[in-house]
Amino acid sequence: MKRIQVVPTWSFRDGSGNQLNPQLFSLLRAIHEEGKLTAATKKAGISYRHGWNLLNTWAAFFGVPLVELQKGRGAQLTALGEKLIWAEQRVVARLEPQLESLASDLNMEIHRALEGVSPLLRINASHGYAVALLPDFAEGIQLDLQYKSAEEALASLGRGTCDIAGFHLPTSVVSPKLIESYSRYLKPRVHKVIRFITRRQGLMVKADNPHEITGLEDLTKEGVRFINRQKESGTRVLLDEMLKQRQISSRQIEGFENEEFTHSAVAAYVASGMADAGMGVEAAARQFGLGFIPLEEEYYLLVCHHRSLEQAAVEQLLRIIRGPAFHQAVMQLPGYSPECCGEVVSVDELLTK
């Protein structure tokens, strides 16, 4: 079954209502990667002449060039050209959970209109690289995947508005605040936990790490700018707990109050040069060509009512995530492991580890 994907598109207009071709972003990304206009236009799927015209048209629109072309040195983005591609990356990264949730809604409506509709499985989950793989493997089930904070997902499970909730739990940094929060929703006699994946969390920094950041203590160095996650995210709770254990005051960290809403948005923020470090998963760092300093591992977990384990849709999900194809896809994500994926454990076993 083909699935709808929703992607954001930029639109630039001047005071006269003239609109420019958003294809420029594909060309700028290709120039950034290839360093030559000939190779970039080929990669963007346009002619050299069309690429040249795009650059000239946009340069006239902004009043400054976006690319510098030098004989023998190829093509290099100007400061504005760099800002444009990183701005696009930040927008896509920030909107990703909402757009994927919207796409899930649209695909559900399409599937309901078709004959032979498969069993429905409603998952509310914290956004992540591994859980985002599930729609590609959802054979035999209708998957309604909605991204919410971990606490919102668990609350939805309690209200019965989803079948499975996805959340994460550090493997060694025990946060009493997090355990207390999850314990309000996880009932040992009612729920069962499905182990999903393990992922590495840490600091994302520029590839050359100019500030020589090696741990959380270095975030307090003069001139180091930080980009944070939002307060309700598990990553923020983890960071707060690690700072508390190391007796590091957040007031010493420049930019601690600045927030982004996904791992990839934090990575894009650092990659754009607007911050020197951010907290997130290794997969996001590698996606944006950043260095990564591992600090902690997390379990990403799925929880459901114990009776749901007997439902056809949940049984099919377990077959999918226990299968070699899904495991192979997870192992392609830097810092992710499918070890114990699909293993069912009790709530007590999880929270008293």
Side-chain angles (χ1 to χ4, degrees):
M1 178 65 67
K2 293 183 178 180
R3 294 186 294 110
I4 289 175
Q5 290 183 314
V6 182
V7 296
T9 299
W10 285 69
S11 177
F12 281 101
R13 293 180 175 86
D14 61 19
S16 302
N18 298 316
Q19 184 172 338
L20 296 180
N21 191 342
Q23 194 174 39
L24 175 80
F25 287 104
S26 298
L27 180 58
L28 291 179
R29 285 195 301 271
I31 291 172
H32 177 75
E33 294 165 2
E34 301 293 333
K36 292 184 179 180
L37 185 56
T38 50
T41 52
K42 183 177 180 180
K43 187 169 187 176
I46 59 178
S47 69
Y48 182 90
R49 182 177 180 181
H50 181 49
W52 180 253
N53 288 337
L54 271 178
L55 294 176
N56 286 333
T57 301
W58 280 74
F61 180 86
F62 287 109
V64 292
L66 304 181
V67 175
E68 292 179 351
L69 300 174
Q70 297 182 1
K71 189 174 182 179
R73 297 182 58 185
Q76 183 177 357
L77 296 181
T78 64
L80 178 59
E82 290 276 1
K83 290 295 183 184
L84 284 174
I85 62 169
W86 289 122
E88 185 205 25
Q89 293 282 4
R90 287 184 60 212
V91 168
V92 172
R94 181 178 290 184
L95 296 178
E96 190 174 32
Q98 292 88 348
L99 295 179
E100 289 182 4
S101 293
L102 175 59
S104 180
D105 286 339
L106 295 175
N107 285 308
M108 286 294 301
E109 294 302 321
I110 292 173
H111 290 185
R112 288 192 182 105
L114 301 176
E115 295 182 1
V117 173
S118 304
L120 171 63
L121 185 64
R122 303 166 300 168
I123 299 180
N124 285 186
S126 175
H127 187 263
Y129 284 78
V131 74
L133 294 174
L134 288 176
D136 294 328
F137 291 86
E139 292 187 15
I141 54 175
Q142 292 184 84
L143 185 63
D144 182 11
L145 176 59
Q146 299 293 320
Y147 290 119
K148 302 178 182 294
S149 72
E151 194 163 348
E152 288 173 336
L154 290 169
S156 296
L157 180 67
R159 293 192 299 269
T161 54
C162 72
D163 305 301
I164 290 179
F167 64 105
H168 31 76
L169 191 67
T171 61
S172 60
V173 179
V174 179
S175 168
K177 177 182 176 182
L178 194 62
I179 296 298
E180 180 184 357
S181 172
Y182 289 169
S183 296
R184 294 202 301 268
Y185 303 102
L186 297 173
K187 309 303 179 186
R189 295 184 179 181
V190 175
H191 297 119
K192 286 292 185 179
V193 177
I194 302 168
R195 294 192 183 277
F196 188 49
I197 55 89
T198 305
R199 65 187 190 182
R200 279 197 291 267
Q201 285 260 34
L203 293 176
M204 298 181 280
V205 298
K206 284 291 187 72
D208 59 351
N209 196 5
H211 292 278
E212 299 181 343
I213 296 169
T214 61
L216 293 177
E217 292 78 6
D218 294 321
L219 297 180
T220 64
K221 286 182 177 179
E222 185 176 355
V224 173
R225 300 162 300 162
F226 186 69
I227 177 64
N228 213 342
R229 287 293 304 278
Q230 77 275 24
K231 291 182 178 64
E232 65 269 19
S233 70
T235 298
R236 176 64 172 272
V237 174
L238 172 61
L239 174 61
D240 289 344
E241 184 63 27
M242 289 193 293
L243 291 175
K244 179 181 178 181
Q245 290 183 4
R246 290 165 173 79
Q247 297 183 332
I248 301 172
S249 171
S250 62
R251 291 191 296 272
Q252 297 175 274
I253 302 175
E254 181 183 346
F256 193 84
E257 69 283 357
N258 297 330
E259 299 177 349
E260 280 290 357
F261 292 84
T262 65
H263 294 282
S264 52
V266 169
Y269 202 98
V270 175
S272 70
M274 298 178 67
D276 302 298
M279 184 82 173
V281 294
E282 184 175 354
R286 305 308 180 200
Q287 179 185 353
F288 287 88
L290 299 174
F292 182 76
I293 301 157
L295 296 175
E296 171 65 314
E297 288 195 340
E298 280 186 327
Y299 299 122
Y300 194 109
L301 304 158
L302 306 175
V303 61
C304 66
H305 196 286
H306 69 87
R307 289 195 298 268
S308 298
L309 292 172
E310 301 174 0
Q311 295 177 357
V314 176
E315 289 179 342
Q316 177 62 6
L317 176 70
L318 289 173
R319 282 191 287 270
I320 290 168
I321 66 175
R322 289 169 178 168
F326 185 75
H327 285 200
Q328 185 63 34
V330 171
M331 288 188 290
Q332 296 301 311
L333 299 172
Y336 278 70
S337 169
E339 185 178 0
C340 298
C341 188
E343 179 184 333
V344 178
V345 299
S346 69
V347 170
D348 283 337
E349 182 179 351
L350 176 73
L351 296 183
T352 60
K353 63 182 180 64

